């Protein structure tokens, strides 16, 4: 890596981190070139040169998240589902994933490139729970089950700005497994 | 009502409708005083005079939604749940309720008054399904069930920009009722 490449990589890491922090603390409105530049300690010109649009700032923030946190499988379906839904809650707490998803929903509808970033993030996020729920062979039934598990965490975040406690997550998993005949 | 009151009421209705349309079609970024004024056909000064902040524009848009659409109860729990979850899907299709909720989530965290508007809207939206699910006496189990039903509609809207078809909604209700021992 040349010195120039190293400098750009460092700038990208600083800017990505700042975008994620602003998204988490102040929301998407705060993610402007001027504000991000000021908080991250770079010039507006530097930001505009590398990432001309706000969608670009969002894209590098999502790319910097890395792979979504997932729980290790134990082979016990109930324990694995509880762990996976809890990992989603952790991603909201630690990575502001709810804010990221809402910003992507807003931008993804109008910016094609962001639509792709969103699709990749959601696919990575759902991969593990879809695998766990492959015990359900009917595709629509599995889709319903996946969204019910996501909903227990994402709905209170979007609707009240709150997250479910461990008992609510456990109840949801028990309802699901009972309904799927896997309890 | 004086002429002046009538004029303000008409302006408010026009502006509210425009804010909802822009939210639905272009997202929250498009809801600026300048853009709303241009599309609704009023001066920026008029908008700033009555509704000084973007949060004010969002508030009158939410107030103009009126009561959330709800299905009539038939007494058949399965049919009533399907109808109620479908009514939520209709509210997203026709009122862009998903975009409204995401804008409220963004503003509600920082603007107190918007936090109240959000709380009232969500309470109205969930009232009926909470009543239907009062067959479940444990509070956390009922919370889990409510969020699972909301999730079937809201999660695909937020994550993929898509809505579930009738079969997915029916599967979700069947899983829930099976899990609650009410099938």
């Amino acid at each position: 890596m040349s010195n120039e490449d190293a400098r750009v990589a460092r700038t990208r890491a600083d800017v990505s981190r700042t975008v994620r922090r602003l998204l988490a603390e102040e929301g998407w409105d705060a993610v402007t070139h001027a504000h991000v530049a000021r908080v991250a300690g770079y010039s507006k010109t530097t930001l505009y040169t590398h990432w001309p649009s706000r969608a670009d700032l969002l894209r590098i923030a999502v790319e910097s998240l890395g792979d979504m946190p997932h729980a290790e499988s134990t082979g016990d379906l109930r324990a694995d589902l509880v762990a996976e839904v809890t990992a989603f809650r952790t991603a909201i707490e630690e990575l502001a994933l709810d804010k990221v998803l809402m910003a992507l929903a807003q931008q993804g509808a109008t910016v094609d490139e962001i639509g792709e970033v969103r699709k990749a993030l959601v696919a990575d996020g759902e991969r593990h729970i879809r695998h766990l729920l492959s015990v359900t062979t009917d595709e629509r039934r599995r889709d319903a089950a996946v969204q019910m598990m996501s909903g227990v965490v994402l709905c209170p975040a979007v609707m009240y700005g709150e997250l479910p406690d461990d008992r609510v997550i456990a109840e949801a998993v028990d309802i699901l497994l009972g309904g799927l005949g896997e309890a």
Side-chain angles (χ1 to χ4, degrees), chain A residues 67-171:
Chain A
D67 293 337
M68 284 295 99
H70 289 293
E72 285 292 320
S73 280
T74 66
D76 175 330
L77 183 56
R78 182 182 185 279
D80 286 349
L81 282 171
V82 168
E84 187 61 17
V85 175
T86 305
F88 184 31
R89 185 181 67 187
T90 303
I92 290 185
E93 284 172 324
E94 295 183 0
L95 305 173
L97 189 58
D98 55 336
K99 307 277 176 31
V100 170
L101 286 169
M102 288 190 270
L104 286 171
Q106 179 158 285
Q107 299 292 305
T110 47
V111 182
D112 278 354
E113 194 202 2
I114 289 297
E116 293 305 309
V117 170
R118 175 196 198 186
K119 228 182 265 181
L121 179 71
V122 170
D124 179 34
E126 287 186 350
R127 188 169 36 81
H128 198 155
I129 201 148
R130 282 198 180 274
H131 178 71
L132 290 174
L133 290 170
S134 59
V135 290
T136 305
T137 51
D138 182 274
E139 200 186 324
R140 283 209 173 69
R141 194 165 167 84
R142 188 167 61 240
D143 280 346
V146 169
Q147 305 307 336
M148 290 165 95
M149 289 296 93
S150 300
V152 171
V153 178
L154 189 61
C155 287
V158 172
M159 292 187 180
Y160 325 123
E162 287 172 12
L163 287 169
D165 64 23
D166 290 347
R167 267 256 350 257
V168 171
I169 291 177
E171 290 289 354

Side-chain angles (χ1 to χ4, degrees), chain A residues 19-77:
Chain A
V19 170
R20 279 161 38 200
R21 182 151 71 83
L22 290 178
L23 254 183
E25 291 172 6
E26 304 177 39
W28 174 243
D29 282 356
V31 182
T32 61
H33 285 80
H35 195 39
V36 172
R38 194 165 49 244
V39 175
Y42 291 94
S43 75
K44 265 203 294 185
T45 308
T46 299
L47 262 66
Y48 275 116
T49 303
H50 294 294
W51 306 288
S53 69
R54 291 176 75 211
D56 292 323
L57 296 176
L58 179 57
R59 177 177 50 76
I60 63 168
V62 173
E63 287 166 358
S64 75
L65 287 173
D67 293 337
M68 284 295 99
H70 289 293
E72 285 292 320
S73 280
T74 66
D76 175 330
L77 183 56

